[in-house]
Amino acid sequence: MEIGESSESPEGKKKSKSKTPRKPKDSVLKQKSPAEFFADNKNIAGFDNPGKCLYTTVRELVENALDSAESISKLPIVEITIEEIVRSKFNSMIGLAEHERVDEELYDDFESAKAREKRLAKEARIQEIQAKNANLGKKVKEPVASKAMKGRGETSYYRVTCKDNGKGMPHDDIPNMFGRVLSGTKYGLKQTRGKFGLGAKMALIWSKMSTGLPIEITSSMKGQNYTSFCRLDIDIHRNIPHIHVHEKQDKKERWHGAEIQIVIEGNWTTYRSKILHYMRQMAVITPYAEFLFRFLSDAPDKNVTVKFARRTDIMPPVPLETKYHPSAVDLLLIKRLIAETSKQNLLQFLQHEFVNISKSHAERLIGEMGPDFSHKMLVKSLTSQQIVRIHQLFRQAKFDDPSGDCLSPAGEYNLRLGIIKELHPDMVATYSGSAQVFEGHPFLVEAGVSVGGKDVKQGVNIFRFANRIPLLFEQGADVVTRTALKRINWNSYKINQAQDKIGVFVSIVSTKIPFKGTGKEYIGDDISEIAAAVKTSIQQCCTQLKSKILKRIQAREQQERKRNLSKYIPNVTGAIYDVLKEMSHLHASKRKRYTNEDAEVLNKVSNHIITRETLGEKLAQHVEQVDYEMALEYATQSGVNEEPRENIYIQTLEGESKFVDFQSPVFVFRLFQ
């Protein structure tokens, strides 16, 4: 019998009913809204886990607050509060009654009797081994406290509140500004902190996913006699705001700005250091801002209050929106510019929609495009083939590099103040490079290197900034990290890479930061232009520090030499005085061989005019005189013609004053009117 053959005859077998194959359903195309896409891929916006979600929410709210204040040239005041909400309080907020467990074994934090017995036996064995090691005199490790089991359901909730003194938001625009993903005001070609129009919207999506609670926005603009209040969440599938309350309220105080409050799931314990580190680095790069950070908990010992005071009232200029460089555009961008332009003919379009194309240059470009193109042809009438020809010429033709006038770096003045304010280093050097170009986008690198300071670890401590935003994650592959650790020979600058406390601060600003990865947390090391600019900036700072370190070494050696000479003065004094005393007791016939001056000295010794004490004083004066002459000679060679002076920082003037600032990389001259 063959495999698969039945033992029954065909006649005795019941006929099986024939099954009609099902027809496949017609495929239905489905579409995701932008909000739904980012909800499914929240890691793209930095919402990887509850702890990172809390950090990213704080970061987005703080950066929006700074942008709002800087847009009206107002010195920023940002208050950020994180309030811990226990589960019982959260349940009461959403109207959920408390419920006791019925079936303990159903929960993932349940520990059976057998598992408990096994754990206790393991802990007992560890204690026994430690006791034996202690008796034998061996080093005993501190016992690791066993962590309490925590189930997935034991989540932590936090109310995050951010208040600023910015320009506020128009009443009618608030719902779309928070409840519609990929809508915003940062889509022009401009140096901006944010780029995707996410910000608080992604925090709202996370709030809807983790707590279901809406966001609350209070806003007031200058000149308004009312305050806007809005409570809303987001319709994920339709990408539209779901408004609960949107009303105008009486204005009770003279305040303009925005206050945003949101309740999310998070993890303060694991991301506490990251959030505080972020706030500290933000205070370094924006010393003209005042930050007040608070963490509130039911346990008073967990509360944290940190104030980062303002150090200067000099703000960087507001970044300017610029036009696209011809070498940085693609086909889609050219088509969009054609659709949006107000210019009629091709000559005007090339001349006014791109940088570094003059009228004569535009005429030459049109002549190079071929006979199908003319100066006066309507730009709206260009065919797809003609647009491709323009794009090809843009990629092959030679254009001047764009200038960096549209960029707004922190500036050496502010960078230096920020480093001094937060780290209190022994010495610091800063450098701001000139604007350079990568793929048609201007970029500028400024750097600072400090030695010493408080709360700074030994070795190289790297602080990275992009468009004046601290970058805290994915540091290993970043161009700044690789350059500082592998391309700088610290020993040649008299800096000990292993023992000294070295702070390396690098800020890169550009109209387009070439981030790697979806998290926008690091700049790759494969861009030679940026890598070279970063290396040059750090080296310039190190060169400045080297001269300061050499002066310190010279002064230290001088002090050591003076200390050594002073230490031997008593012994030398005693020896010389004893010799002179013996010589003064010689017979008069033996003194004739001494000159008049020597004989006079011996007479003074014998008459006790020169004593051991007077001789010691003279030697001490001589050491002081030699030390002063050597210091004066060194100062003359170094070009120093006056005593060193300490830096003096003038406090902010109270009240409103009219003035004009003349800024340079290293100082600000203010002319009051």
Side-chain angles (χ1 to χ4, degrees):
M1 184 180 293
E2 295 182 0
I3 296 175
E5 188 178 337
S6 177
S7 59
E8 295 181 0
S9 61
E11 289 82 3
K13 202 187 265 187
K14 290 185 179 179
K15 293 183 179 179
S16 60
K17 294 181 180 179
S18 61
K19 294 183 179 180
T20 306
R22 293 181 181 178
K23 293 182 179 179
K25 290 183 178 180
D26 295 336
S27 59
V28 179
L29 292 176
K30 294 183 179 181
Q31 183 177 352
K32 281 187 178 182
S33 71
E36 194 174 5
F37 170 80
F38 283 105
D40 293 340
N41 302 276
K42 59 184 183 296
N43 61 301
I44 293 177
F47 287 73
D48 300 11
N49 53 66
K52 185 80 177 289
C53 290
L54 180 62
Y55 162 80
T56 307
T57 298
V58 171
R59 168 179 169 170
E60 294 289 356
L61 295 182
V62 168
E63 289 164 11
N64 286 346
L66 290 173
D67 285 337
S68 179
E70 291 174 1
S71 65
I72 56 173
S73 299
K74 190 76 176 176
L75 292 170
I77 302 176
V78 182
E79 299 178 15
I80 189 82
T81 304
I82 303 176
E83 180 185 354
E84 186 177 23
I85 301 174
V86 297
R87 189 178 61 174
S88 58
K89 184 177 180 180
F90 174 76
N91 288 345
S92 65
M93 288 172 57
I94 63 175
L96 182 63
E98 288 294 325
H99 174 71
E100 294 185 1
R101 294 183 178 183
V102 179
D103 188 354
E104 288 286 347
E105 295 184 12
L106 187 64
Y107 296 89
D108 65 349
D109 60 353
F110 172 74
E111 187 179 26
S112 64
K114 186 176 180 180
R116 188 184 302 109
E117 183 180 348
K118 186 176 180 180
R119 176 173 58 82
L120 293 175
K122 182 179 179 181
E123 291 177 358
R125 285 196 303 272
I126 293 174
Q127 290 178 359
E128 185 180 351
I129 293 171
Q130 288 181 339
K132 288 181 179 179
N133 290 337
N135 292 332
L136 295 173
K138 294 182 180 179
K139 190 175 181 181
V140 180
K141 293 183 180 179
E142 290 292 330
V144 180
S146 58
K147 296 181 180 179
M149 295 190 67
K150 184 176 180 180
R152 293 188 300 272
E154 293 294 329
T155 52
S156 301
Y157 302 100
Y158 302 89
R159 180 187 286 113
V160 182
T161 306
C162 184
K163 184 177 181 180
D164 64 64
N165 63 335
K167 66 178 181 180
M169 292 166 279
H171 180 80
D172 296 333
D173 292 344
I174 293 176
N176 282 331
M177 293 180 75
F178 286 88
R180 192 185 298 273
V181 174
L182 297 184
S183 63
T185 59
K186 299 181 179 180
Y187 289 122
L189 189 62
K190 183 180 177 181
Q191 175 192 324
T192 57
R193 286 191 171 94
K195 198 69 178 174
F196 293 150
L198 287 174
K201 304 166 194 176
M202 194 63 223
L204 178 55
I205 291 176
W206 173 244
S207 172
K208 189 174 180 69
M209 295 174 67
S210 60
T211 68
L213 293 175
I215 190 172
E216 293 185 356
I217 305 105
T218 305
S219 174
S220 179
M221 301 184 71
K222 269 188 175 182
Q224 283 184 349
N225 56 2
Y226 63 88
T227 299
S228 301
F229 176 77
C230 187
R231 183 186 295 118
L232 60 87
D233 61 32
I234 186 170
D235 187 327
I236 299 289
H237 302 292
R238 295 194 293 165
N239 191 31
I240 60 173
H242 177 213
I243 302 172
H244 298 251
V245 178
H246 190 199
E247 60 185 11
K248 297 178 180 179
Q249 301 176 347
D250 294 336
K251 197 169 186 177
K252 298 180 181 179
E253 57 179 340
R254 294 183 60 186
W255 165 74
H256 60 84
E259 182 176 359
I260 301 167
Q261 189 176 101
I262 188 169
V263 180
I264 60 171
E265 180 186 345
N267 190 328
W268 166 256
T269 305
T270 57
Y271 274 77
R272 176 184 186 274
S273 60
K274 285 290 185 185
I275 293 174
L276 293 176
H277 197 194
Y278 168 80
M279 295 301 302
R280 188 185 187 194
Q281 288 200 31
M282 186 59 82
V284 168
I285 202 68
T286 54
Y288 53 88
E290 180 181 310
F291 298 98
L292 177 61
F293 177 84
R294 288 187 293 256
F295 175 78
L296 306 178
S297 174
D298 290 341
D301 58 326
K302 292 183 179 179
N303 291 349
V304 176
T305 300
V306 184
K307 183 176 182 180
F308 300 92
R310 178 183 296 121
R311 185 62 186 266
T312 176
D313 60 355
I314 305 299
M315 295 176 61
V318 178
L320 302 176
E321 189 165 351
T322 185
K323 298 173 184 177
Y324 288 92
H325 192 267
S327 62
V329 297
D330 53 35
L331 281 171
L332 286 177
L333 183 55
I334 295 175
K335 290 180 180 179
R336 180 168 69 82
L337 292 176
I338 290 173
E340 296 175 354
T341 186
S342 60
K343 304 303 175 183
Q344 298 295 323
N345 58 51
L346 181 59
L347 180 64
Q348 295 174 339
F349 172 73
L350 296 178
Q351 188 178 348
H352 295 283
E353 295 296 337
F354 301 94
V355 294
N356 293 357
I357 298 183
S358 62
K359 184 178 180 181
S360 60
H361 196 183
E363 290 174 349
R364 292 176 61 190
L365 290 171
I366 294 173
E368 185 64 25
M369 291 176 189
D372 295 337
F373 295 85
S374 65
H375 298 176
K376 296 183 178 181
M377 70 181 301
L378 296 177
V379 69
K380 304 286 186 182
S381 65
L382 289 170
T383 64
S384 298
Q385 292 79 8
Q386 290 174 323
I387 294 175
V388 171
R389 178 71 186 106
I390 295 174
H391 179 236
Q392 290 176 346
L393 183 59
F394 278 175
R395 297 184 65 178
Q396 297 171 353
K398 182 172 64 176
F399 300 94
D400 292 336
D401 290 337
S403 67
D405 298 340
C406 60
L407 301 178
S408 176
E412 284 190 67
Y413 179 79
N414 281 336
L415 184 59
R416 180 183 292 267
L417 281 183
I419 296 172
I420 293 173
K421 178 171 74 80
E422 294 304 321
L423 270 69
H424 301 281
D426 298 331
M427 60 180 71
V428 62
T430 55
Y431 174 79
S432 181
S434 57
Q436 300 184 49
V437 179
F438 168 68
E439 291 186 351
H441 292 277
F443 73 91
L444 189 146
V445 177
E446 50 189 355
V449 177
S450 65
V451 177
K454 67 174 186 178
D455 299 333
V456 184
K457 298 178 182 178
Q458 284 186 336
V460 180
N461 301 266
I462 297 172
F463 303 83
R464 303 170 294 134
F465 305 91
N467 281 351
R468 308 211 304 267
I469 296 177
L471 305 178
L472 269 64
F473 295 90
E474 302 183 41
Q475 178 170 306
D478 190 86
V479 61
V480 177
T481 304
R482 289 182 175 270
T483 301
L485 297 181
K486 297 183 178 181
R487 303 189 184 106
I488 303 297
N489 185 3
W490 296 98
N491 291 330
S492 64
Y493 300 102
K494 306 300 180 183
I495 300 174
N496 191 319
Q497 184 176 353
Q499 296 181 359
D500 289 337
K501 297 179 178 179
I502 309 167
V504 177
F505 303 80
V506 176
S507 174
I508 302 173
V509 296
S510 176
T511 52
K512 184 181 179 182
I513 298 290
F515 288 111
K516 296 291 184 181
T518 57
K520 298 197 305 176
E521 288 290 350
Y522 77 100
I523 301 170
D525 193 34
D526 56 341
I527 302 172
S528 58
E529 295 91 338
I530 294 180
V534 169
K535 181 180 179 181
T536 300
S537 299
I538 297 176
Q539 285 177 331
Q540 289 292 332
C541 294
C542 292
T543 302
Q544 297 176 40
L545 288 178
K546 184 178 180 180
S547 62
K548 297 180 181 179
I549 293 172
L550 287 175
K551 289 179 182 178
R552 284 200 173 190
I553 293 174
Q554 178 76 15
R556 196 182 303 120
E557 291 176 350
Q558 218 167 313
Q559 290 178 356
E560 186 68 23
R561 186 168 55 251
K562 179 181 175 182
R563 192 181 301 114
N564 290 335
L565 290 173
S566 301
K567 183 171 64 175
Y568 293 111
I569 285 177
N571 296 333
V572 173
T573 302
I576 294 176
Y577 184 76
D578 290 342
V579 171
L580 292 175
K581 196 171 182 182
E582 289 183 9
M583 293 173 64
S584 65
H585 291 159
L586 293 175
H587 194 270
S589 60
K590 294 183 179 180
R591 288 192 189 182
K592 292 181 179 179
R593 55 186 175 185
Y594 298 115
T595 61
N596 293 334
E597 292 180 358
D598 295 338
E600 185 179 354
V601 170
L602 294 176
N603 288 332
K604 287 182 178 180
V605 171
S606 61
N607 295 328
H608 302 289
I609 298 174
I610 295 179
T611 63
R612 192 187 301 269
E613 288 74 18
T614 57
L615 189 59
E617 290 176 2
K618 290 292 183 181
L619 281 174
Q621 291 176 6
H622 181 72
V623 169
E624 288 285 346
Q625 180 67 23
V626 171
D627 181 70
Y628 174 76
E629 290 175 356
M630 292 180 67
L632 186 63
E633 181 183 358
Y634 174 76
T636 305
Q637 292 175 354
S638 303
V640 180
N641 53 13
E642 58 182 351
E643 295 182 358
R645 295 175 295 179
E646 293 185 358
N647 293 328
I648 299 176
Y649 302 99
I650 301 174
Q651 298 294 327
T652 305
L653 293 174
E654 298 294 334
E656 297 291 335
S657 302
K658 293 184 177 180
F659 53 82
V660 178
D661 284 346
F662 300 93
Q663 300 192 18
S664 85
V666 293
F667 73 90
V668 176
F669 179 77
R670 175 166 288 178
L671 177 64
F672 288 90
Q673 299 177 350

